[in-house]
Amino acid sequence: MAANNDRVRIFDTTLRDGEQSPGATMTSDEKLEVARMLARLGVDIIEAGFPIASPDDFQAVRRIADEVGAANGSHPPPMICGLARANDKDIDAAWEAVRTAARPRIHTFLATSEIHMKHKLRMDPEEVVDRVAAMVSYARALCDDVEFSPEDAGRSDPQFLYLVLGEAIKAGATTLNIPDTVGYTTPEEYGALIAGIIEHTPGIENVIVSVHCHDDLGMATANTLAGLRAGARQAEVTVNGIGERAGNTSLEEVVMTLHTRRPLFGLTTGIDTTQITRASRMVSSYTGIPVQPNKAIVGANAFAHEAGIHQDGMLKNHMTYEIMRPETVGAGQTELVLGKHSGRHALRARLSELGYTLSDEDIVRLFDRFKELADRKKVITNADLEALMADELTHVPEVFSLDGLQVACGTMGMPTASVRLAGPDGTIQMHAAIGPGPVDACYTAINYLIGVPVKLVEFAVNAVTEGTDALGEVSVRIEYEGEEPVLNPHSEVAMKRTFGGHAADTDIIVASARAYLAALNKLLVAYDLSQPVLETVPATVGS
Ligand code: KIV
Ligand code: ZN
C-alpha cells in the first residue's frame, strides 16, 4: 500500500500540533469551528487533540468526534484522530474521546532516536521495541485504525527504525508516520529515509507511510514533498504552518504545490482549494497568530503585484507573473456590495456562501455589529465580514468585557485612556491612565483594573481592507508575569504558557483593548484567577 496509488491523504494536525504553538490555545467552541472548516476543506483525517492532556482537550476531541466525525449520508466524514503516548492510560483516553466518530483513529508515538531514548525516556532500545509492539497491539484491540510514530525519526538510526516499524506493523498499525520532530533533515536525507523505510521494513506494503516535518530550518514543505516523491501517501500538515517552535509543514503549501506542479509529482489530494484562504483566516483569528504578509499562498501579498514591470506583464497576460490564480485558493474574489441598506437575509446568505452556518442567535448578534460597521464604512467586503465573524464567534470566556473606552492623544499632551470594564455579576470598574501612546495607556488602565501581573509578548495590527475606513485587526499574546499559578498540562517541562487574543474594529484602539481583554480572559480562566481578582479590583480613577 506504500506507493500503490496517486492519492495523498491530508492529515491535518492544526488542532493538536498546531495548538501546541505558544499562545495558540483555542476554546472548545473555536476548535469545533476549525474542525468544521477542515471538513469543508476536505481533509482526510483531523487530529483533533491530545485527549489525556486535560479535561478540556478531551471534551474538545469528543465534541469534534460527535459533531464533525459523524456519518452524514453519502459523503464520508473525515476520520477523527486522538494522540496518545505509548501507554495504556493515554490510549484509553484517546479511544474514549474518538470512539463515537464514524471513522476513529488512535495515533500513538514513542521516541526512537538515541538522544531521546537515553535522556528523555531512559529506556533501552529493546524496551522501546517491546513497548511499541505492546501498545500498538493494545490500541488495535480498541480501534481498527491505528497510527504509530517513532518520534524523532529524523535523527534515529535507520536500521533501528526498520526493526521498530516492522514490529508496529506486526502488532497491527495501519499507518506509519515518520516525524522529523526537530526539523533537522534536508530534503535529500528525508526522501532517502522514507525510501529506505519502504525498501527495508517487513510488511510495509500493507500500510500507509506518512510524513510529518517541522520547520526549524525552513525545509518542512520541501522535506514533505521529498517524502511523498519517495512513496509516502499521507502528509501531516497544519493550516498556516503553525506548530511547535518554527511550526509544522503548511497545508496550503503542500496542497498547492501538488496542484500547481501536477505533471511533476503526479499526485492528487481531496482538498477543495477554494476554501484555503478562509481556513487560513479562521485559524489566524482564533489562535491570534497573524500570517506574515509574504507567506506563500495565504499571505496578504501572495497575489499582490507592486513593480511597474510586473503590473505591465500582468495586464498583458497574468501568467507572466502568476503561477496560480487567486480564486483557486479562494482569495481576491469579486468584492461584495453589502452596506447599510442590506438586511439580515442578505447578510445570512452571504455568510452561508462564505461557508458559515450560523444559529439565529449568532445572526442577531452579528447583524447589530454589521449595522454599526455599515454606519461607519460605505462598503462591507468579504474580508470585513470574515474579520467580524472571527471576532464575533471567538468564544472567549467573558470574565471582563469592555464597557467603555475614551482616549485623548495627539501632539498637545500626554496620551490618556479612560477605561470602563464590566466584570462578572455586572460590576463596573473605571480607571484612567497615561502612557507613551494610547494603546499603552489603555493597557495600563486595564492592568490596573484587573490586577493580575501580565506581560505583553506580542502585539500586531493589520488592516483587513484598504482605505482609511478599513477594519483594523489586532492580535496580542500575553503571559503571566512571575511564577505561573498552574503549569501547562501540554508540557513535560515547566514552561511559560502564552494566551492569544484577537479583535477587529474600525477603531484600532478599541480593537486593541478588546484583543487584550480576550487574551486576559483566557488567562484568568486557565489559571482560575477570576474570583480573587474581582475582590481586589479598585474602583478608583488615577494614573
Ligand atoms: O513531531 C512529532 O514528533 C510529533 C509526534 C507526536 C508525531 O508531533
Ligand atoms: Zn510534530
Side-chain angles (χ1 to χ4, degrees):
M1 228 189 288
N4 66 355
N5 67 36
D6 300 340
R7 171 72 151 74
V8 174
R9 286 144 195 85
I10 297 296
F11 175 115
D12 183 279
T13 184
T14 306
L15 294 170
R16 198 278 298 170
D17 220 335
E19 219 236 353
Q20 288 174 214
S21 315
T25 327
M26 287 180 256
T27 63
S28 160
D29 286 341
E30 288 167 348
K31 288 181 187 171
L32 187 63
E33 280 297 321
V34 170
R36 289 198 174 113
M37 181 76 240
L38 293 171
R40 284 197 292 276
L41 193 60
V43 310
D44 299 282
I45 304 113
I46 296 177
E47 187 164 53
F50 193 1
I52 196 82
S54 72
D56 281 357
D57 279 45
F58 180 92
Q59 282 310 333
V61 178
R62 165 72 63 86
R63 276 182 84 190
I64 291 169
D66 285 346
E67 296 185 37
V68 183
N72 61 356
S74 53
H75 194 67
M79 196 171 264
I80 308 297
C81 172
L83 184 70
R85 286 167 297 190
N87 66 60
D88 49 4
K89 280 203 186 63
D90 276 39
I91 292 172
D92 288 342
W95 174 238
E96 281 309 313
V98 299
R99 65 185 301 168
T100 52
R103 302 164 67 222
R105 172 180 288 190
I106 296 174
H107 176 192
T108 187
F109 68 99
L110 190 65
T112 48
S113 65
E114 205 187 314
I115 189 160
H116 275 232
M117 290 191 291
K118 195 164 162 194
H119 298 286
K120 186 182 83 167
L121 299 176
R122 304 211 167 101
M123 285 169 84
D124 291 335
E126 296 71 30
E127 286 177 87
V128 167
V129 176
D130 291 347
R131 175 81 72 85
V132 169
M135 289 303 120
V136 169
S137 140
Y138 184 76
R140 188 57 208 270
L142 299 170
C143 183
D144 285 345
D145 196 301
V146 173
E147 171 169 329
F148 169 69
S149 293
E151 191 190 8
D152 204 17
R155 293 188 298 171
S156 301
D157 171 8
Q159 301 298 328
F160 183 58
L161 276 180
Y162 308 153
L163 175 70
V164 174
L165 295 172
E167 289 304 313
I169 294 171
K170 274 199 250 157
T174 45
T175 297
L176 293 177
N177 177 48
I178 314 301
D180 181 16
T181 304
V182 290
Y184 179 71
T185 62
T186 64
E188 291 73 19
E189 287 169 337
Y190 191 70
L193 180 66
I194 300 295
I197 286 169
I198 290 175
E199 196 180 336
H200 300 292
T201 305
I204 199 84
E205 59 287 353
N206 301 318
V207 301
I208 301 280
V209 175
S210 165
V211 285
H212 178 117
C213 299
H214 281 265
D215 207 29
D216 298 66
L217 293 173
M219 288 187 280
T221 298
N223 287 349
T224 295
L225 293 168
L228 295 176
R229 291 195 91 177
R233 285 296 174 269
Q234 173 177 288
E236 301 204 352
V237 293
T238 61
V239 174
N240 299 338
I242 63 169
E244 284 277 14
R245 306 180 309 279
N248 286 65
T249 307
S250 96
L251 178 147
E252 58 278 6
E253 292 174 13
V254 171
V255 167
M256 289 314 291
T257 304
L258 297 182
H259 182 93
T260 309
R261 303 301 308 275
R262 178 88 200 272
L264 179 69
F265 287 92
L267 297 172
T268 60
T269 70
I271 297 295
D272 174 357
T273 61
T274 63
Q275 300 295 320
I276 284 177
T277 302
R278 261 162 228 154
S280 161
R281 290 204 182 126
M282 180 183 280
V283 168
S284 169
S285 303
Y286 286 176
T287 57
I289 301 178
V291 176
Q292 78 199 54
N294 58 323
K295 166 81 180 63
I297 324 290
V298 291
N301 295 345
F303 295 97
H305 303 269
E306 174 77 29
I309 298 173
H310 288 209
Q311 287 179 350
D312 180 51
M314 284 292 293
L315 287 171
K316 289 173 177 144
N317 182 335
H318 69 85
M319 283 168 76
T320 51
Y321 287 103
E322 210 171 62
I323 58 167
M324 57 199 143
R325 300 301 333 248
E327 49 277 25
T328 311
V329 297
Q333 298 149 327
T334 323
E335 292 278 289
L336 174 79
V337 187
L338 268 185
K340 68 175 183 183
H341 300 297
S342 309
R344 209 169 287 180
H345 288 305
L347 177 65
R348 187 195 280 276
R350 173 48 64 174
L351 286 169
S352 110
E353 273 172 47
L354 291 176
Y356 294 102
T357 330
L358 294 177
S359 67
D360 289 346
E361 214 178 278
D362 285 335
I363 279 284
V364 169
R365 209 172 51 230
L366 196 75
F367 190 65
D368 286 343
R369 290 206 56 201
F370 164 78
K371 280 290 188 190
E372 262 174 46
L373 181 61
D375 276 340
R376 284 179 278 158
K377 196 171 186 293
K378 261 199 213 126
V379 176
I380 312 277
T381 63
N382 286 357
D384 289 324
L385 282 183
E386 303 230 23
L388 261 191
M389 276 296 299
D391 190 33
E392 209 25 60
L393 299 183
T394 296
H395 300 279
V396 177
E398 276 232 312
V399 184
F400 288 94
S401 61
L402 189 68
D403 193 57
L405 169 66
Q406 188 167 307
V407 292
C409 57
T411 56
M412 308 288 287
M414 292 290 236
T416 310
S418 308
V419 175
R420 203 168 57 216
L421 292 188
D425 310 327
T427 46
I428 298 286
Q429 310 288 340
M430 282 189 297
H431 190 70
I434 54 172
V439 174
D440 190 87
C442 174
Y443 285 10
T444 304
I446 293 176
N447 286 344
Y448 183 81
L449 289 172
I450 293 190
V452 168
V454 293
K455 189 164 107 194
L456 184 67
V457 288
E458 197 175 300
F459 175 83
V461 189
N462 270 321
V464 180
T465 45
E466 286 166 13
T468 49
D469 60 354
L471 261 192
E473 273 186 318
V474 176
S475 300
V476 302
R477 286 199 298 128
I478 59 169
E479 64 185 30
Y480 193 89
E481 176 111 74
E483 206 176 311
E484 272 185 307
V486 177
L487 290 182
N488 181 355
H490 265 112
S491 66
E492 287 171 5
V493 287
M495 60 175 70
K496 274 266 189 249
R497 209 174 154 184
T498 63
F499 298 84
H502 171 272
D505 200 282
T506 47
D507 182 327
I508 61 157
I509 312 295
V510 173
S512 304
R514 291 180 52 225
Y516 193 56
L517 277 170
L520 270 166
N521 282 333
K522 282 187 184 171
L523 180 144
L524 293 175
V525 170
Y527 294 140
D528 210 8
L529 285 173
S530 45
Q531 288 317 316
V533 169
L534 262 183
E535 282 157 24
T536 60
V537 168
T540 53
V541 177
S543 63

